[in-house]
Amino acid sequence: MFAMNNSASVSYILSSELLLTGTCNQKCGHCSVVNNDSPLLSLNDLNRKLKNLSENGASEVALISGEYPQDYPHIQIALSQYGFSSFYDYLREACLAALSHKLIPVLRVGYLDSSMLASLENTGAVIKIDVVSSNQTGAGECFEFARRRTPKAGRKAIEAVHRHRIPYSLGFITGIGESESDRLEMIREISEFCGADPYLQDVRIAYFQPEPNCLLKHRPPLGFESVKRIVIALRKAFPVHHISIPPFLFNRYPELVEHGLNDLGSVPIFTGSTAYSDFFMPSYENMKLRLLKINSHLYERSPLTTPAAMNRPELSETLVAVNQKIEKRNRAPISLIDNDYCFVCGVRNPISLKIPTKASTKGNTCTFSWTPGPHFQSYAGVLHGGIINTLLDEAMGYAIMGENLCRLIVTADMKVKYLRPAPIGLPITIAATVSGQKRNHIFARGSVISQDGSVIAEAEGHFVEMINKAGPIATENTGTENIVGTSHC
């Protein structure tokens, strides 16, 4: 933990998660991800998702699967269809695909054998290893149906990744039935075992939170005092490492920072959590405000923390791109992150309007059609004026950002003229274009047009550019005056 006067600095990784398959040959009682009917994600779909995550600004992507899914016939068939002779080869290509999109690949795929680890050398991968503090293989215990989950197996997994010189993140599974003495003793033993390992990147509390579809769903989670003692033990055992907890636990206990917590780990803002899908990921601004209340400072860090991890040749280009993203975000006055949860266009938002504004933007114009339903009305049969305002704001914003989405902007001012009612149940068209600019102040106008061609509303908007990834845009008022902003190309 870095001292800043009387405050603490807390780091986090701007992360994402992609489920390759939930198929697993283990059945751990604490796991809520396993689904042995789960298909295998194709590389075409994987690349499409990786491209979107990279464009949105993720630093890393956690590639998640069950352990040894190739033991199941439907996974073997899928591997053959995709042109792979083994799951090892598939994982290798998935990691290389992440690198090609300038994302650091992080594998959460259970314990790997030596042949699989050999195939992952030179892929830029980081492996997440979770260890347990006691044997829980008896009837009704967490690993009754996962006999390979023992303290000894965890140490062997650490030895294996070190032998293959692959960086790893170490998690201590807690709250699954182990005693406190076993828990704290395991932390001490593991720190003596690998605390000085140059391939160890960070240390995590893999905290058990009951979920409806896990076998231990009735086990209560550990309380604050127990978690506090774990944090204190980890800080003592790993004094120079990042010590992190899951985002949902930080939301519950931010005061753990006062006891040695100095990291929030990988926060999957772009995708949400695979294991805890009902938990809404906190934004940067949300985490920052919670930390300010306890006099702590939040900053983004790289997923890689040691020279042994960072100096791998295959990572050189990706690490430069990742560090540039991180540096610019840490310098920015406000965090502007597109995590596909926008009310108008967000594909992950269950109540979004699902309007494809990105695909509807050509050059510096944005045009799309939409049919309002009755739940968006004000008076009976009439579309609410606030929705009209929102659609115009969205269209003008995308017109300014352009089809390559090279600019991040915020709305400064907006004026709307409502000319006639917009009927519910009939399609309307929203069109917007850039009308002028002065330095990083950009202006746009937009219209809402009915099915018969009459104008329902008109708007003028004033927007401020925060980040500029491209050159100047042409406008009818000022030509190609350069916009003052941070280059992001």
Side-chain angles (χ1 to χ4, degrees):
M1 184 163 58
F2 304 97
M4 291 184 59
N5 299 322
N6 293 320
S7 66
S9 291
V10 179
S11 56
Y12 79 106
I13 302 169
L14 195 57
S15 185
S16 56
E17 297 182 0
L18 291 178
L19 182 65
L20 303 178
T21 178
T23 301
C24 182
N25 73 352
Q26 301 287 291
K27 194 173 183 180
C28 301
H30 69 293
C31 179
S32 59
V33 176
V34 62
N35 173 8
N36 287 333
D37 294 322
S38 174
L40 183 67
L41 187 68
S42 73
L43 278 191
N44 285 339
D45 287 341
L46 176 63
N47 272 295
R48 177 177 53 80
K49 293 174 182 289
L50 290 172
K51 181 176 184 292
N52 182 61
L53 292 173
S54 179
E55 289 175 348
N56 285 349
S59 298
E60 68 170 21
V61 57
L63 302 172
I64 302 170
S65 82
E67 189 167 305
Y68 294 98
Q70 66 271 26
D71 289 354
Y72 286 78
H74 72 285
I75 299 296
Q76 294 177 8
I77 292 170
L79 288 169
S80 177
Q81 290 174 341
Y82 299 157
F84 296 103
S85 59
S86 69
F87 188 62
Y88 310 171
D89 295 334
Y90 170 87
L91 275 185
R92 177 179 178 81
E93 287 303 311
C95 290
L96 294 176
L99 282 187
S100 72
H101 291 284
K102 303 298 186 290
L103 294 165
I104 295 174
V106 178
L107 293 180
R108 282 172 41 194
V109 295
Y111 292 169
L112 303 175
D113 61 32
S114 184
S115 58
M116 183 175 282
L117 288 170
S119 72
L120 294 173
E121 293 177 359
N122 306 316
T123 63
V126 178
I127 295 178
K128 293 208 170 187
I129 300 174
D130 290 344
V131 297
V132 298
S133 56
S134 64
N135 291 313
Q136 297 278 320
T137 55
E141 293 185 317
C142 186
F143 302 117
E144 177 184 2
F145 305 108
R147 299 301 176 93
R148 287 204 296 269
R149 286 295 182 274
T150 63
K152 183 177 180 180
R155 281 189 285 268
K156 284 186 175 180
I158 295 170
E159 286 178 335
V161 293
H162 174 84
R163 191 165 54 249
H164 289 276
R165 300 181 179 180
I166 299 175
Y168 62 98
S169 169
L170 181 61
F172 289 87
I173 300 178
T174 59
I176 57 171
E178 79 283 358
S179 68
E180 180 162 5
S181 59
D182 283 341
R183 189 186 304 143
L184 300 181
E185 178 63 19
M186 184 65 170
I187 291 173
R188 186 191 64 78
E189 288 180 4
I190 292 292
S191 71
E192 293 177 355
F193 180 63
C194 67
D197 189 348
Y199 293 100
L200 174 60
Q201 302 305 296
D202 51 44
V203 180
R204 297 168 286 111
I205 298 178
Y207 179 87
F208 171 62
Q209 174 70 32
E211 286 285 291
N213 56 335
C214 71
L215 296 179
L216 295 183
K217 59 186 175 184
H218 299 301
R219 175 175 290 279
L222 295 179
F224 173 77
E225 289 299 323
S226 294
V227 179
K228 182 181 77 172
R229 287 191 287 272
I230 298 171
V231 170
I232 292 171
L234 287 172
R235 173 51 53 221
K236 181 179 179 181
F238 298 91
V240 300
H241 288 87
H242 294 283
I243 308 295
S244 70
I245 58 175
F248 66 82
L249 190 58
F250 168 73
N251 263 15
R252 196 179 304 165
Y253 302 136
E255 59 269 33
L256 287 170
V257 173
E258 300 169 5
H259 302 283
L261 180 75
N262 63 355
D263 188 50
L264 303 182
S266 299
V267 183
I269 291 174
F270 297 100
T271 57
S273 169
T274 303
Y276 302 104
S277 56
D278 292 336
F279 176 73
F280 186 77
M281 281 297 128
S283 67
Y284 168 83
E285 298 296 334
N286 178 280
M287 294 186 291
K288 182 175 72 172
L289 288 173
R290 289 183 72 84
L291 283 168
L292 283 175
K293 292 179 180 178
I294 54 173
N295 196 31
S296 298
H297 166 73
L298 181 67
Y299 71 97
E300 183 182 350
R301 70 170 176 92
S302 169
L304 304 178
T305 60
T306 66
M310 293 185 285
N311 293 337
R312 292 177 290 168
E314 68 273 16
L315 268 174
S316 57
E317 292 185 9
T318 297
L319 202 54
V320 167
V322 166
N323 287 338
Q324 286 176 345
K325 293 178 187 177
I326 293 171
E327 182 182 358
K328 288 175 180 175
R329 282 194 290 255
N330 280 333
R331 290 201 321 249
I334 187 173
S335 175
L336 298 176
I337 296 172
D338 181 4
N339 66 349
D340 291 328
Y341 229 84
C342 170
F343 170 68
V344 177
C345 64
V347 294
R348 292 179 52 231
N349 187 340
I351 63 169
S352 156
L353 303 182
K354 302 292 192 299
I355 295 174
T357 45
K358 294 178 184 178
S360 304
T361 304
K362 304 298 179 186
N364 286 110
T365 64
C366 180
T367 304
F368 56 85
S369 295
W370 179 66
T371 302
H375 40 295
F376 296 113
Q377 73 173 35
S378 54
Y379 295 109
V382 177
L383 178 61
H384 196 289
I387 297 295
I388 291 175
N389 190 302
T390 299
L391 296 173
L392 286 164
D393 182 41
E394 183 86 351
M396 289 189 293
Y398 269 90
I400 291 171
M401 289 189 291
E403 62 182 305
N404 295 323
L405 303 182
C406 284
R407 291 166 173 80
L408 289 179
I409 60 166
V410 292
T411 308
D413 187 28
M414 186 172 166
K415 181 179 179 181
V416 180
K417 291 182 180 179
Y418 297 96
L419 304 176
R420 52 180 50 82
I424 292 292
L426 295 178
I428 55 176
T429 298
I430 298 88
T433 188
V434 175
S435 60
Q437 68 179 96
K438 185 176 181 180
R439 297 177 67 83
N440 65 327
H441 294 260
I442 310 175
F443 305 90
R445 59 171 180 257
S447 302
V448 179
I449 304 167
S450 68
Q451 193 175 25
D452 64 8
S454 58
V455 179
I456 293 170
E458 293 177 332
E460 294 178 349
H462 167 202
F463 299 79
V464 177
E465 181 181 40
M466 307 299 290
I467 295 177
N468 174 20
K469 297 195 292 184
I473 58 175
T475 68
E476 60 187 52
N477 287 4
T478 59
T480 58
E481 179 184 0
N482 281 316
I483 299 172
V484 174
T486 305
S487 174
H488 202 61
C489 285

